[in-house]
Amino acid sequence: MAMSCINPENLLAVALVINRSRDGPAFVFHYPPNVQPVNGVPEPAEGVDLEDLLLERLSLHSKRDLGATEVSNHFHHHDDHLMTESGTQIVPWEHVAGFPTRDLASILTPARSYHKTLFQLSLDPLLCISYPIHVPENGKWKKAKKADKSQASGSRHADEHIAPHETEPSLLAAKPPEPAAKDKDGKKDDADDEKRSSMTMFNLVFILNPKKNEVKELVDALYINIVKKVNKAYKYSQQHSDFIWKESKRILAAKDKAREDSTPHMSPGALTSSVDTDSAAEKNMSAVWKELLQTSSLAASVHDIYEAVSQNKIATLHLDTAAGVLTPSVQIPAPFFVSDVPAEHEQGRGGLWLTTANAFLSQDSLEEPGFLDRNFALLLMDDEKKIISELQGDRDPATVSMIEFVRLAKPTMSLYQVGQSNVLTLGQVRKYAQHFIFWRRAIAIPPLHARDTYVVSPNCALTRLPDASHEWQRAFPVAPPLPNFLAELSMCPKPYKAFCPSKAHRPLYLRMLAWLMRGGWVTQLCTFGYVVVWPEILYEVDYEIEAEELAAAAEEARAQERHEDAALSPIDDTAKPSAEAPGRRHPHPEDTGTTTARPTVEHAAEMARLERIAIKASREAADKATAHARKTVPVATAHPSMNAALNLAALTPHVILDAKKATGKESRYLSAIAHRLRDDKARSAWQLMCKYFDGRCALERIALQEDMKRKEVWNLLTTMSEYLLCTRHW
């Protein structure tokens, strides 16, 4: 999993833009309020295209509005309303990153062809990305009433694909729908609900300032995890309560009022930001934005998205819609492991759990039913009692089951094992595990076991050792000091149970191990295997293949001979010529002998050629058969790895990189190995085990995946060990 590269330096702002059927585009709201130009006013990028022309237009607008020499001064003091010498009022929120918002609104309301797709606009060096949402083709945002009722009962629109923690209708919590206002005739005052909405599209735009080498990673991370999901949540709220349009109207009206109420004064000959302090109605940008964030949950959601995403946190929105409070949550998943020791320049990765357990997961494994359940356990990232205490304050009906899950889900038990209890179903276990992982309260790890080997992680953050030592001592008063315990683990690797003073201490020592894993102090040392084919087996398979080829060639030669005897019979020279063609001269008698003799000569030549080929092939086959007969007959020894026979001297061992995908000669090698296994149990298990011999599957996981006893698995692997080339790493 790639480390999130998003921060306040490359995520400049989040902005909401709408388009209206009558009034056109509008730049509704953006956060943060003051977005300074990057390297001054941007200049057109190389090449001439639509974006270049738009960029040039924007730049010209900025310069014309403020004056070329006043631009930088203006944007560095961009909170109060300003007045130019010409009498033009400049409102601070009408420029973002040096661009007039009216022009940004025009280019950030793309055509319907961009509906629900990635829209990417370059304003070099800035980059805008979004997921535009257009009004449906019928011009109405709202779904039919029948569809609304089905949604209320919990069904989902096929094109939404919104996860339960995002905009699940069941999260329309606490707050009941507000009753619609009625006029004196008893009819709904809000009659325009049935009419075409004035808003034809909306677009939540992310304004970026990426480095060239991070553009793809930045765009992919934002678009998949944030941009699409938030816009879909907004779409849901718009379809069910006209939320985006109503809130946008309120925000735009508030900004217009603040603009009208402000009457900045001018000092002669200069641009000024002085204000009439006696005017209570006048508001600077900070005050306007503060009021909007307090009164509009839509504006607050834009603020929350920017603040959370730029700081790599979870954004939990609270959309106060007429249909109830909607609480979607989005985030760019935070990495909780690395598969290799990070380079020195990769800051922020030190101290993360070091493992290849997740990096080597194949698509086949992920699609295999129960694979993740059997191979992973849940490790809470906080104290169990603390989490349970927090849950007990939640009135959600699912809380009781979730508390039971926290009590049952130990880092020593796979999710499958937790699901075997009579308390929770496997479906509940999966759901709650996903919930805790999403909220960064837990991570998925291979179940901890006393027989497994754990070592100090090369990626541990030693700068945290002093503080961690105090925490360790508080958590485990009778345990050895943390530096001493880590020093012991740094010695020759051995099963973790060897560090326990007695079997009675194992539960405590496993809790200590969980603490160490949680902080990234240790990692599991795993065993990975490949099948190695020794020269004895290589020779045997080649010998058998050669014998089969010789037998097949001999049979083919006999069949060919029978075919030739039947096909190459003498030509009948007495055959009568066909009827003379019209206009053709009758052959002269002297020509007859020449005509009938030619096929006989050609036939004889062909027969001679075929005979030469047959003799050559027969001679080669005989030579091969003779050479084969002179070869040493293969002999299966008790230990092929130690066979030093002369006939094997020129052969080198062959390593099968992925035994489960072996074909052709490699599959024959595997069969030959199976025949050599003396233990019947091992022979029958060989084919099953082979799928784990790819250098990617930790052999420690076989017992979990196959629901076998660890001791049984290691006994089988020991029996097969002569044919395995093993490596050990995290």
Side-chain angles (χ1 to χ4, degrees), residues 558-570:
R558 287 192 292 271
Q560 182 67 23
E561 188 177 342
R562 290 193 296 269
H563 176 73
E564 289 173 357
D565 288 343
L568 297 176
S569 57

Side-chain angles (χ1 to χ4, degrees), residues 114-176:
Y114 287 97
H115 175 59
K116 293 174 70 174
T117 61
L118 171 63
F119 175 70
Q120 192 166 318
L121 176 70
S122 174
L123 300 174
D124 191 30
L126 304 185
L127 180 66
C128 300
I129 65 168
S130 64
Y131 183 81
I133 304 292
H134 281 258
V135 68
E137 295 285 355
N138 63 4
K140 297 180 181 179
W141 284 103
K142 287 201 170 189
K143 297 285 186 182
K145 288 185 178 180
K146 184 177 180 181
D148 283 343
K149 288 179 181 178
S150 65
Q151 275 285 42
S153 65
S155 65
R156 310 294 293 275
H157 291 300
D159 64 340
E160 287 299 317
H161 303 295
I162 300 175
H165 53 263
E166 293 164 9
T167 54
E168 183 73 35
S170 63
L171 294 179
L172 296 176
K175 196 171 178 180

Side-chain angles (χ1 to χ4, degrees), residues 17 39 57 81 84 106 314 316 494 518 629 678 711:
V17 181
N39 299 326
R57 178 179 173 228
H81 299 245
T84 62
S106 296
I314 301 172
T316 302
K494 53 187 174 182
R518 190 178 293 122
R678 290 167 292 174
K711 188 175 181 180

Side-chain angles (χ1 to χ4, degrees), residues 212-255:
K212 289 184 179 180
N213 63 340
E214 68 178 13
V215 170
K216 187 179 187 309
E217 183 182 0
L218 191 67
V219 171
D220 288 349
L222 266 176
Y223 180 70
I224 294 170
N225 297 289
I226 307 293
V227 180
K228 284 180 67 174
K229 292 182 178 179
V230 173
N231 273 296
K232 283 185 175 183
Y234 280 0
K235 177 189 175 187
Y236 182 91
S237 67
Q238 173 62 22
Q239 287 180 329
H240 287 76
S241 59
D242 216 17
F243 174 74
I244 304 299
W245 172 231
K246 290 177 180 177
E247 286 293 296
S248 295
K249 284 193 294 185
R250 288 180 57 198
I251 294 170
L252 291 171
K255 287 164 64 178

Side-chain angles (χ1 to χ4, degrees), residues 258-303:
R259 178 191 178 98
E260 293 170 3
D261 289 346
S262 297
T263 54
H265 293 278
M266 269 245 337
S267 61
L271 184 69
T272 179
S273 61
S274 62
V275 295
D276 183 0
T277 55
D278 296 330
S279 176
E282 184 180 338
K283 299 175 183 175
N284 60 22
M285 188 174 189
S286 298
V288 174
W289 250 237
K290 182 178 180 180
E291 183 178 303
L292 287 174
L293 294 175
Q294 291 174 342
T295 58
S296 171
S297 64
L298 177 60
S301 71
V302 175
H303 161 274

Side-chain angles (χ1 to χ4, degrees), residues 300-301 304-305 308 313-318 326-330 438-439:
S301 71
D304 294 344
I305 291 166
K313 296 180 180 178
I314 301 172
T316 302
L317 313 183
H318 296 271
L326 205 63
T327 57
S329 299
V330 295
F438 176 86
W439 289 102

